[in-house]
């Protein structure tokens, strides 16, 4: 189901209206007071900005989401579970603002930064993470990225 236009989701009826959507041609903003789970099981593409706001959501799940045309913004301090397992393209910035409860991203095992050189290392699960897509996202943020493949012994 292609949903044409911008969708401000401010109540559970709005959320039920966009849950069947596989594509939102405009922007999708979810801000529902008291909602603990933002579940968008069919969503594959958002043409504009995809934003989740609010103090309540603890779970954001759009497991089939592949592409966001503009920014992807998560602005919720309570979210501790984030499933964007198919995401490969973000046209603008990927922003996590005040996402204090978020301690991990599925497929990313560890990130470390060498403060002397400024180089960051990301350890990830190759079965759950598309390394080429991860490199593209890092480079889109104006950072240099390379993939070091460990030698097999």
């Amino acid at each position: 189901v292609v949903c044409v236009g911008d969708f401000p989701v401010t109540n559970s009826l709005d959320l039920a209206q966009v849950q069947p959507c596989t594509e939102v041609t405009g922007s999708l903003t979810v801000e529902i007071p008291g909602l603990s789970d933002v579940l968008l099981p069919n969503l594959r593409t958002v043409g504009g900005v995809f934003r989740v706001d609010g103090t309540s959501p603890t779970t954001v799940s759009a497991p089939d989401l592949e592409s966001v045309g503009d920014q992807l913004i998560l602005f919720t301090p309570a979210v501790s579970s984030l499933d964007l397992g198919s995401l490969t393209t973000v046209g603008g910035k990927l922003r996590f603002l005040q996402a204090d409860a978020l301690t991990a991203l599925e497929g990313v095992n560890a990130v470390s930064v060498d403060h002397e050189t400024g180089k960051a290392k990301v350890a990830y699960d190759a079965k759950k993470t598309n390394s080429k897509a991860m490199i593209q996202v890092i480079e889109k943020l104006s950072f240099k990225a390379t993939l070091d493949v460990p030698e097999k012994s």
Side-chain angles (χ1 to χ4, degrees):
V1 175
V2 176
C3 297
V4 178
D6 294 334
F7 286 83
V9 177
T10 58
N11 59 52
S12 57
L13 292 175
D14 292 343
L15 184 61
Q17 181 183 5
V18 299
Q19 282 179 326
C21 299
T22 56
E23 178 180 356
V24 171
T25 62
S27 293
L28 175 60
T29 302
V30 180
E31 185 173 8
I32 304 173
L35 180 73
S36 62
D37 297 329
V38 176
L39 306 175
L40 299 163
N42 300 305
L43 189 64
R44 289 191 196 130
T45 305
V46 176
V49 174
F50 178 34
R51 181 178 179 119
V52 178
D53 281 338
T55 57
S56 304
T58 57
T59 300
V60 175
S61 178
D64 292 340
L65 182 66
E66 298 170 353
S67 174
V68 175
D70 197 345
Q71 296 185 70
L72 190 155
I73 303 167
L74 181 69
F75 191 34
T76 174
V79 73
S80 59
S81 176
L82 177 64
D83 182 2
L84 303 172
S86 299
L87 186 66
T88 58
T89 304
V90 176
K93 293 182 179 179
L94 176 64
R95 303 176 72 187
F96 298 122
L97 306 168
Q98 295 184 1
D100 301 333
L102 187 62
T103 57
L105 296 174
E106 186 68 26
V108 176
N109 299 329
V111 177
S112 64
V113 178
D114 182 327
H115 294 284
E116 289 181 24
T117 66
K119 290 185 178 182
K121 291 186 179 184
V122 178
Y124 63 94
D125 183 341
K127 293 177 186 170
K128 296 180 181 178
T129 306
N130 180 326
S131 60
K132 289 180 184 177
M134 184 172 59
I135 295 288
Q136 289 174 344
V137 169
I138 292 168
E139 288 177 342
K140 211 164 213 160
L141 295 171
S142 300
F143 294 101
K144 182 180 176 190
T146 59
L147 183 61
D148 295 331
V149 180
E151 292 180 24
K152 293 183 180 181
S153 44

